[in-house]
Amino acid sequence: MLTFALAVFFLIITPGPGVLSTAGVGAGFGGRAGLRYVSGLFLGTNLVGLAVISGLAALVLADDRIRALLFLLSFAYLLYLAVRIAFAQSRLAFIERSDPPGLTGGVLLQIMNPKAYAVNTALYTGFGFLPDSYWTEVLLKFLIMNTIWVPIHLLWLWAGIKVNQLDLSPRTHSIINKAMAASMMTVVVLAALELT
């Protein structure tokens, strides 16, 4: 069980679209918007977990066309989100700062996030510790994952909020937001290269 918990910790804390966008939303839009977004990520990641446990994810992702469509949707949404984070503190007229990604945005990100499926599949199908009681093991894994997931995402959100609260020049703040957005897109591109 300890090996499973360590795997959860390291798979979740490593920069992926979820944690990087969490920090970006915190930096670009503040705490309240960030909490709504993290709540959506939480719901989304648990929906992905349920899809993996039920076998629905394997059934759906077995079709290359559906997998490619989900990847394209994920890439497009993450690009959109990266642009929103990158220009959150700018004065560009085509970016609406008043409409940050919220609960729905978080859910959508996780449902379309390839890393969410990979992590959930690895964790729910591997690291067995109760071979005679599958459903008890799944329930314990669900509890352990969420116990680790929540504080890690809140920590990333806090880091983003702290960046937002620093007395930085608008230019420096813009550079930080753009760096977060670029990091998020780098992770997505690396995931795309891994899939090809």
Side-chain angles (χ1 to χ4, degrees):
M1 197 176 322
L2 179 60
T3 304
F4 173 75
L6 287 171
V8 170
F9 177 79
F10 287 113
L11 283 171
I12 293 175
I13 203 162
T14 55
V19 293
L20 288 172
S21 63
T22 295
V25 169
F29 301 102
R32 185 170 290 163
L35 284 174
R36 281 193 301 273
Y37 182 71
V38 168
S39 297
L41 289 176
F42 177 79
L43 291 172
T45 200
N46 283 296
L47 287 173
V48 169
L50 290 173
V52 167
I53 293 166
S54 69
L56 179 63
L59 182 67
V60 170
L61 296 176
D63 187 329
D64 289 338
R65 295 169 299 180
I66 294 173
R67 191 174 28 199
L69 176 64
L70 284 175
F71 179 77
L72 287 174
L73 289 172
S74 172
F75 185 83
Y77 182 70
L78 288 167
L79 179 62
Y80 164 77
L81 191 57
V83 168
R84 298 285 310 277
I85 290 167
F87 295 104
Q89 294 294 327
S90 76
R91 292 195 169 97
L92 293 176
F94 67 90
I95 301 293
E96 290 288 331
R97 179 167 161 39
S98 62
D99 190 22
L103 185 78
T104 303
V107 171
L108 287 175
L109 174 66
Q110 289 301 74
I111 288 174
M112 296 184 294
N113 178 0
K115 184 183 177 194
Y117 289 94
V119 166
N120 277 284
T121 300
L123 293 172
Y124 281 113
T125 61
F127 303 97
F129 53 85
L130 288 176
D132 295 332
S133 185
Y134 174 76
W135 290 110
T136 302
E137 179 180 311
V138 166
L139 179 60
L140 286 172
K141 284 180 174 182
F142 176 81
L143 292 172
I144 292 167
M145 285 175 67
N146 282 296
T147 300
I148 294 170
W149 190 99
V150 170
I152 287 174
H153 280 75
L154 291 177
L155 180 65
W156 278 91
L157 176 60
W158 175 82
I161 292 168
K162 285 299 170 191
V163 166
N164 191 30
Q165 292 173 347
L166 292 174
D167 189 22
L168 302 173
S169 70
R171 183 175 184 277
T172 303
H173 195 81
S174 177
I175 289 169
I176 290 171
N177 282 356
K178 287 179 174 97
M180 285 184 189
S183 296
M184 193 167 76
M185 289 312 300
T186 300
V187 169
V188 173
V189 169
L190 290 173
L193 292 174
E194 186 72 25
L195 291 175
T196 58

